[in-house]
Amino acid sequence: MSNQILFLGPRLEKKGTLGGVVILFEEIILHSKKANINHLVIDTNLANYSNKFFGTISVLINLIFKSYKANHISLHGTAKDFLYFGPFVVLISKILQKKLSLRKFAGSFYEVYLSSNFFIKKIIEFVLRNSNFNFFETKYLVLKFEKFNKNTFWWPNSRPKSNLQVSKSFEKRFVFISQIKKTKGIVEFIEASVHLDKPYVFDVYGPILCDEVESKFNQNANINYRGVLDHSEVLTTLLKYDVLILPTYHEGEGYPGIILEAFSIGMPVISTNWNSIPEIVIDRVNGLLVPVKDVLSLKNAILSIDQNSFEKLRQNAINSFKLFDSESVYNDFYYKTNSSQHA
């Protein structure tokens, strides 16, 4: 048996669609290559197969054959992946006596668990109890699920360390980068900008997923829609601005990757008291938090930032990123899964 790890997770779609979970899984594959870690990969993104049935069968067949070559199987996925593939991964790991780790993306898994029927709950419990290591994106989920497995750990969303930094000069330039839909708080951002004239700059990037929002850009001269960014363009685009705004109330929100990318270059963030965002955005330390759907509070948060407060927030944003540096996060994963103290 060779000393290598078998990763199962969603690869980049052939049609080019890029989501947060795909970015995270691609990054650990890239890290494994750079670190010369022996690994195999199975793509669980069913959009990359001719149909979902064939894709599922292909994943399971590959799981059986590739598991023989690895000593560690590692499933990375959403709630659906845990339900579809989790039981099979557990059974294969038990039959072949392989080490198994599970990594859950996003932050709404406990709500999924609570709202599930008895049968689905038992599947989730079976998968979690029979893994050697379970990793969750938020501390909240670690707290909720560690009762099923003592080896339950925090694996936060992460990004590579950057040598870039935003300017120390505050010039009232604010940016929104995300999917453009109501639950990401775009309507509140647009409405807050109506009350703030020049020299404030408000720019928006991302795919428009809501027709109603598109018309609002044309009606409001204070805000500019700048189109869709390739992932490779995100950091250089952020550098043109001072503060990221993400007033989200998206149901599945965990640690939004765009917030961590902002922190990686020392950019403060205005976001919401929603889900586990307060675990990463500390109010008046590395950013500002406002209630969801509260346009007045969002406007006041924007107005409250001046040169002095910006410099403090900027420096704390840089310091905050240390917890989300991909290199240290991945090293922690390998340490925990290879350490005898967690066996």
Side-chain angles (χ1 to χ4, degrees), residues 98-300:
K98 307 292 184 176
K99 186 190 323 180
L100 173 62
S101 64
L102 305 174
R103 177 195 185 186
K104 171 65 180 63
F105 294 122
S108 61
F109 195 42
Y110 188 61
E111 287 68 30
V112 171
Y113 172 77
L114 289 179
S115 62
S116 297
N117 60 42
F118 176 82
F119 181 68
I120 296 299
K121 282 182 178 178
K122 290 305 175 184
I123 292 178
I124 293 173
E125 292 173 17
F126 170 77
V127 171
L128 295 179
R129 290 183 192 278
N130 287 280
S131 173
N132 298 101
F133 308 92
N134 295 327
F135 295 89
F136 292 97
E137 182 173 320
T138 69
K139 295 177 181 178
Y140 169 78
L141 289 180
V142 171
L143 182 64
K144 292 298 182 181
F145 285 111
E146 61 186 357
K147 64 183 178 182
F148 297 128
N149 192 320
K150 67 177 183 178
N151 287 333
T152 298
F153 306 104
W154 186 48
W155 185 336
N157 194 342
S158 63
R159 290 294 187 270
K161 185 178 180 180
S162 174
N163 293 321
L164 305 172
Q165 284 193 15
V166 295
S167 171
K168 295 182 180 180
S169 176
F170 177 59
E171 298 181 5
K172 300 183 178 180
R173 300 169 301 182
F174 295 80
V175 64
F176 174 104
I177 301 179
S178 183
Q179 292 180 331
I180 299 174
K181 55 185 178 181
K182 287 184 177 180
T183 57
K184 289 292 186 175
I186 185 62
V187 173
E188 288 74 19
F189 181 33
I190 293 172
E191 292 180 357
S193 71
V194 171
H195 306 287
L196 300 168
D197 296 323
K198 293 182 179 180
Y200 284 95
V201 172
F202 300 104
D203 285 349
V204 173
Y205 298 83
I208 297 177
L209 304 180
C210 177
D211 294 336
E212 179 184 337
V213 171
E214 188 169 9
S215 64
K216 287 182 179 293
F217 289 128
N218 300 325
Q219 298 167 7
N220 187 352
N222 291 355
I223 197 163
N224 306 291
Y225 176 61
R226 302 297 189 186
V228 181
L229 292 173
D230 183 80
H231 184 63
S232 63
E233 302 173 306
V234 171
L235 287 185
T236 54
T237 300
L238 283 172
L239 286 171
K240 301 174 183 178
Y241 302 91
D242 305 313
V243 179
L244 172 74
I245 295 186
L246 188 68
T248 180
Y249 45 95
H250 183 62
E251 183 179 352
E253 207 77 86
Y255 293 167
I258 190 62
I259 290 180
L260 304 183
E261 284 168 311
F263 284 169
S264 76
I265 60 171
M267 174 176 280
V269 175
I270 298 177
S271 193
T272 45
N273 281 301
W274 179 252
N275 284 7
S276 294
I277 288 179
E279 291 183 10
I280 58 174
V281 179
I282 312 303
D283 191 36
R284 303 190 183 280
V285 176
N286 56 11
L288 300 173
L289 292 174
V290 300
V292 297
K293 303 182 183 180
D294 191 330
V295 174
L296 180 60
S297 293
L298 180 57
K299 184 194 77 170
N300 289 338

Side-chain angles (χ1 to χ4, degrees), residues 307-321:
Q307 181 61 50
N308 290 334
S309 61
F310 173 73
E311 177 54 29
K312 174 186 173 183
L313 295 170
R314 188 188 72 84
Q315 189 57 54
N316 287 334
I318 295 172
N319 295 334
S320 298
F321 180 71

